[in-house]
Amino acid sequence: MNLYIIAFLRGNVTKNFTASKVDLTLIERYSKSDNRDPEDKKVDIVHNVDQYYPTSGRVILHVDMNAFYCSVHEAENPDQYRGKATAVAGSVELRKGIIVTCSYVARRLGISTGMQVQKALRICPSLIVIKPDFHLYRKYSNAFMQIAYSYTPLLEAVSIDECYLDITGSRQFGTPMEIAETIQRRIMEELGLPCSIGIAPNKLLAKMASDLKKPNGISVLRLRDVPNILWDKPCNEMFGIGGKTAEKLRKLGIYSIGQLAAADETMLVENFGVMGSWLKRAGNGIDHGIVNPEREQSKSIGHTTTLPRDVVGLAEVRPILLNLSDQVARRLRKQGLVASGVQLTIRTPDMKTITRSRQLEAPSESGEDIYKSVCDLYVRHWNGEKPVRLLGVTLQGLIAKEESAIQLDLFDYEQQPKKESLTKAMDMLRNKFGENAVLTAGMLSDTHSARLRNHKERGTSLQKDNLLSVESDNE
C-alpha cells in the first residue's frame, strides 16, 4: 500500500505531503475496488501497517550517506564528476595528501580512504583529486537531516554524514520499509545524494544493517537474523570493535562475532573491564542505547593541521598555535562553553605522535589563555630543534559558561568585562564578515595559518558544531 494513501485515508497528510505528492487517482481507484464502509477500509489499512511495528520495542533507522564528500561535489557539478573516479584530499603541493574519501568508481579501481594521494595517482592516473569544502558539506548535511527530521523528531546526528531515527511512532507515514524508501528517494531526488539505510530494533543493528548494501541500499536486520548474517563475520566488522580490541580477542581465541556471542562473559570482563559485558551483548545483537535527539555536550573541542613543510622552533610554531587557539576558542564560545584543560598534539615527520596536557588556572573561553598554555606545553615538553609535521590544540573539561565560576585576576578584574565585550564584538564581526575581518598581528605572519580560518578548507572529524540542530545553515 502506498504510504501516501495511508496518510491520506487516516487524515494525516501533513506539511510534508503536499497535494501534488499524493496520487489521488490511485486513492479513488482503491476506494472503488472495495465496496466496504469507508471507515472499515481505514481501519483495515491502519491494521496492515501496524503489523510491521512491534507491540513493544523500537524501530530504528540508520541513515548513512554514501561517499558523502565526493557525492556532494558530484551533486554540485554532475557534468564534471558523475561516473568518474574522484577523491577528496588536501592539496598534494601542501603535502596534506591523504585520501579523505573517494567515489565508488575509484574504490573499484583500488583507491581507498587513508591512502596517500601520490600512491592513489599511481594506481589511477585519471583520479580527480578535489579540494575539500567543509562549508558545502555542512549545508548538504543540514539538508539531508531536515528531510529525515520530517518523519520523526527523534533524530540523533552522530556525524556530518549519518544519523539515527526512532520511527516507532511514525506509522502514519507507512511501514518502516516505506519510510526508509521515501527518505532515500527524497534525498536522491532533492539533493542528488545516495544513501544506505539500515532498519533494526536497536541502534547497533541499524548501524550494521546500513553497511550491508552500499551504495544506495536498504537492509533489515532483526535479532533473529543475527546468527545467519553476522556470526560468520570477523570481530573487527562489528561496529564499536577497533583493531586493537579485535587483536586482543584473537589472542583469546575469539575470531568471529559468533564466537564472541558464545564467549564467557566473566572472561570478557576480566580482560576488557566493563566493556566485556558490552562485547557479549553486541555479539548477540543486543543494544539498549536510545536515540537521543539532544546531543550530549561536547567532551572536547579540537583542531589539528598538517603543515605544508616541517617547522622548527618556537618562532615558527607560535603563529600556528595562535590560529589554532583562536579557532578552537571561537567554537567554544559559539557553544556557550568554557574549558578547564588544554592539550597539545605534535606529530613528527616519521609519524610519531605525542600529546601533552595541562589544566588552566581557571575555566576560560579566551583564545589568549589557551594560546599561552599550549605555548608553555610546547616549550616544556618539546625539543625546539626537532621538526614538526602536525600541530593540534584540543580543549578539555568543558562545562556550560553559566555553570562555571570564572576566577577573576586580582590585578586585572576591572579589565575583564571590557575584554569580554571586545571579544563578543570581534566574534560578531567575524560571524558577519568572515574569519579574516578582525585579526591580531600574530595571525598575519604565516600564509598557512590563514587556511585554518577558511571555513571551506578547515574541518576535522571533531568538527560537528553544525549538528547542534538541524536548522538550515544560512552562512
Side-chain angles (χ1 to χ4, degrees):
M1 177 61 63
N2 184 291
L3 69 92
Y4 298 126
I5 298 177
I6 296 167
F8 185 84
L9 291 178
R10 292 193 66 184
N12 286 319
V13 178
T14 68
K15 64 179 182 179
N16 302 308
F17 300 104
T18 61
S20 63
K21 290 183 179 179
V22 181
D23 191 339
L24 299 178
T25 304
L26 190 58
I27 292 175
E28 184 180 5
R29 186 165 67 248
Y30 171 80
S31 299
K32 288 179 178 179
S33 68
D34 190 339
N35 295 320
R36 290 178 300 157
D37 182 88
E39 289 302 316
D40 291 335
K41 286 188 284 187
K42 282 187 182 182
V43 171
D44 186 43
I45 293 169
V46 172
H47 285 171
N48 286 337
V49 173
D50 285 346
Q51 68 181 331
Y52 292 93
Y53 289 85
T55 54
S56 62
R58 319 300 298 175
V59 180
I60 309 298
L61 303 187
H62 180 256
V63 181
D64 190 7
M65 307 306 293
N66 301 146
F68 182 56
Y69 294 169
C70 287
S71 296
V72 166
H73 288 289
E74 183 176 319
E76 285 283 301
N77 299 288
D79 293 339
Q80 186 174 359
Y81 299 126
R82 181 171 293 161
K84 297 180 180 178
T86 62
V88 171
S91 171
V92 180
E93 290 76 17
L94 291 177
R95 199 182 57 176
K96 199 174 183 178
I98 300 296
I99 301 293
V100 177
T101 189
C102 56
S103 67
Y104 283 89
V105 174
R107 295 178 193 190
R108 287 193 291 270
L109 296 173
I111 310 303
S112 61
T113 299
M115 182 180 288
Q116 289 189 347
V117 173
Q118 292 92 334
K119 180 179 179 181
L121 289 172
R122 286 196 297 270
I123 295 173
C124 177
S126 62
L127 180 69
I128 302 173
V129 180
I130 307 170
K131 197 174 184 180
D133 186 341
F134 290 96
H135 182 61
L136 185 64
Y137 308 149
R138 286 188 283 266
K139 291 183 68 173
Y140 272 85
S141 176
N142 285 327
F144 93 76
M145 288 192 191
Q146 281 283 358
I147 292 173
Y149 185 72
S150 64
Y151 296 89
T152 174
L154 298 178
L155 179 151
E156 180 182 346
V158 290
S159 73
I160 198 170
D161 63 348
E162 60 179 316
C163 64
Y164 291 103
L165 304 172
D166 186 333
I167 61 166
T168 310
S170 302
R171 62 192 70 194
Q172 68 266 33
F173 298 120
T175 68
M177 179 60 75
E178 287 172 326
I179 294 174
E181 289 173 344
T182 305
I183 290 173
Q184 186 184 69
R185 185 182 68 251
R186 285 188 60 193
I187 291 174
M188 176 57 76
E189 290 177 352
E190 297 175 28
L191 304 176
L193 300 179
C195 69
S196 295
I197 300 179
I199 307 172
N202 59 53
K203 291 167 68 175
L204 174 66
L205 292 185
K207 171 69 175 178
M208 297 294 291
S210 67
D211 286 334
L212 294 177
K213 296 179 183 177
K214 287 188 175 184
N216 222 39
I218 298 177
S219 301
V220 178
L221 186 55
R222 296 157 295 196
L223 277 171
R224 65 176 179 266
D225 300 324
V226 169
N228 291 332
I229 296 178
L230 297 185
W231 278 4
D232 287 339
K233 296 181 181 294
C235 290
N236 64 324
E237 291 193 20
M238 171 65 73
F239 176 68
I241 297 182
K244 291 183 179 179
T245 300
E247 177 61 29
K248 192 171 181 180
L249 286 169
R250 284 193 290 270
K251 291 179 180 179
L252 295 172
I254 300 172
Y255 296 88
S256 69
I257 295 175
Q259 290 175 319
L260 178 62
D264 178 67
E265 184 174 345
T266 301
M267 179 271 294
L268 291 173
V269 171
E270 288 175 353
N271 285 275
F272 296 95
V274 293
M275 186 184 177
S277 295
W278 178 87
L279 289 168
K280 174 74 173 180
R281 292 194 301 271
N284 286 283
I286 298 170
D287 175 27
H288 301 303
I290 62 170
V291 173
N292 182 11
E294 298 295 330
R295 286 203 315 133
E296 290 185 12
Q297 181 175 291
S298 300
K299 295 181 180 178
S300 65
I301 291 177
H303 196 104
T304 62
T305 182
T306 301
L307 305 169
R309 61 174 181 81
D310 296 340
V311 295
V312 179
L314 186 60
E316 288 192 288
V317 166
R318 277 187 184 278
I320 302 165
L321 293 181
L322 179 60
N323 277 281
L324 288 169
S325 301
D326 171 69
Q327 288 301 299
V328 293
R330 286 266 288 149
R331 291 168 56 201
L332 187 73
R333 293 193 294 271
K334 282 183 179 180
Q335 296 189 43
L337 304 173
V338 293
S340 58
V342 63
Q343 175 181 284
L344 173 66
T345 300
I346 299 174
R347 183 172 298 157
T348 61
D350 58 358
M351 303 303 288
K352 291 182 179 178
T353 302
I354 71 158
T355 59
R356 295 292 183 269
S357 59
R358 58 165 289 183
Q359 291 296 107
L360 297 173
E361 293 181 1
S364 177
E365 62 177 11
S366 165
E368 181 181 357
D369 292 342
I370 296 164
Y371 170 63
K372 289 179 179 178
S373 295
V374 292
C375 284
D376 179 65
L377 287 169
Y378 177 86
V379 171
R380 286 174 177 266
H381 299 288
W382 190 252
N383 181 344
E385 296 179 359
K386 292 183 178 180
V388 173
R389 183 181 196 270
L390 172 148
L391 285 167
V393 174
T394 302
L395 305 181
Q396 302 171 326
L398 308 186
I399 54 176
K401 183 178 179 181
E402 62 268 20
E403 297 175 5
S404 68
I406 299 179
Q407 182 177 342
L408 299 179
D409 189 302
L410 179 62
F411 302 103
D412 198 31
Y413 71 95
E414 292 181 344
Q415 299 299 319
Q416 190 69 22
K418 295 180 181 179
K419 286 184 178 180
E420 289 190 3
S421 296
L422 178 59
T423 299
K424 186 175 181 180
M426 292 172 64
D427 283 342
M428 290 176 63
L429 286 171
R430 295 169 82 178
N431 290 341
K432 186 173 183 179
F433 299 108
E435 294 299 309
N436 292 323
V438 183
L439 301 174
T440 65
M443 296 180 187
L444 299 171
S445 61
D446 183 70
T447 55
H448 175 72
S449 294
R451 297 179 66 246
L452 303 179
R453 301 187 298 271
N454 187 325
H455 64 252
K456 291 186 177 182
E457 296 186 27
R458 73 180 184 211
T460 71
S461 59
L462 297 172
Q463 290 195 359
K464 303 175 188 174
D465 303 348
N466 65 300
L467 303 180
L468 287 170
S469 70
V470 291
E471 296 298 322
S472 298
D473 187 345
N474 296 316
E475 289 186 15

